[in-house]
Amino acid sequence: MKFSIDELAKNNRGSLGNDVDVTVFRLIRFMDLERYLGKAANNIFYECGKTLGRDLNINSIDELVKFCKVYKICRAEIVSEDPLRIRIYECITCSGLPNVGEPLCYFEGGFIAGCLENILNKRVRAKETHCAGLGNEFCEFEIKIL
Ligand SMILES: [Zn+2]
């Protein structure tokens, strides 16, 4: 089942509205998918994020930053242009989580990569180098243009 973003934005939640606590997102995001998918789970999160990023047809980095802010995914900024590095603060997935010795934001990395593929019209890989899961105060993605 696939819905457009306009279809997904419509709801009949008259008294509850559009907002959902970030905890609910995280409960869904951190469901134990590894049990069913094994170690491929993180790659699947990345690929799903990438597909979403491509499907949204975001046409500039400014639009990407704005989208993240409007939907309260995170606050994003470019910290380096060559090589391209994108830092995000207040990440919906990991902000405030403990250091678990590994990065957590595969979905976000894929999302950024998918958006950048449209913007740059090139194949792109985003690797998370900083994350709350690694003990950092922000997430940072190193962008490789393939
Ligand atoms: Zn992160």
Side-chain angles (χ1 to χ4, degrees):
M1 188 65 58
K2 189 150 182 171
F3 297 104
S4 71
I5 192 165
D6 292 332
E7 288 170 321
L8 292 171
K10 285 183 191 148
N11 68 68
N12 293 325
R13 292 163 43 103
S15 66
L16 297 175
N18 247 6
D19 293 337
V20 175
D21 194 296
V22 74
T23 307
V24 174
F25 172 84
R26 289 178 175 186
L27 284 168
I28 296 167
R29 171 58 188 82
F30 288 106
M31 283 187 300
D32 189 13
L33 289 182
E34 250 182 65
R35 184 190 314 174
Y36 308 104
L37 303 171
K39 291 292 174 196
N42 288 334
N43 286 337
I44 292 170
F45 276 123
Y46 182 90
E47 291 303 325
C48 288
K50 193 167 178 176
T51 300
L52 174 64
R54 274 204 221 104
D55 286 352
L56 289 175
N57 287 320
I58 288 173
N59 293 309
S60 71
I61 290 179
D62 282 350
E63 245 181 76
L64 169 59
V65 168
K66 190 175 170 196
F67 183 90
C68 290
K69 189 177 174 191
V70 167
Y71 288 99
K72 299 183 182 177
I73 297 166
C74 62
R75 292 186 297 110
E77 68 178 32
I78 307 299
V79 289
S80 162
E81 290 194 9
D82 192 17
L84 183 55
R85 300 186 70 87
I86 296 181
R87 186 176 293 175
I88 69 175
Y89 299 93
E90 301 182 48
C91 175
I92 189 171
T93 291
C94 76
S95 173
L97 291 183
N99 182 345
V100 292
E102 59 181 288
L104 299 169
C105 304
Y106 292 93
F107 183 82
E108 289 74 7
F111 176 73
I112 288 169
C115 291
L116 289 173
E117 286 197 349
N118 279 351
I119 295 165
L120 303 171
N121 202 22
K122 289 180 178 155
R123 292 201 56 229
V124 157
R125 178 101 194 144
K127 182 178 184 227
E128 190 175 31
T129 58
H130 296 70
C131 181
L134 293 168
N136 304 115
E137 292 292 313
F138 52 81
C139 304
E140 195 168 301
F141 297 88
E142 185 180 271
I143 311 302
K144 281 215 166 77
I145 296 168
L146 307 173

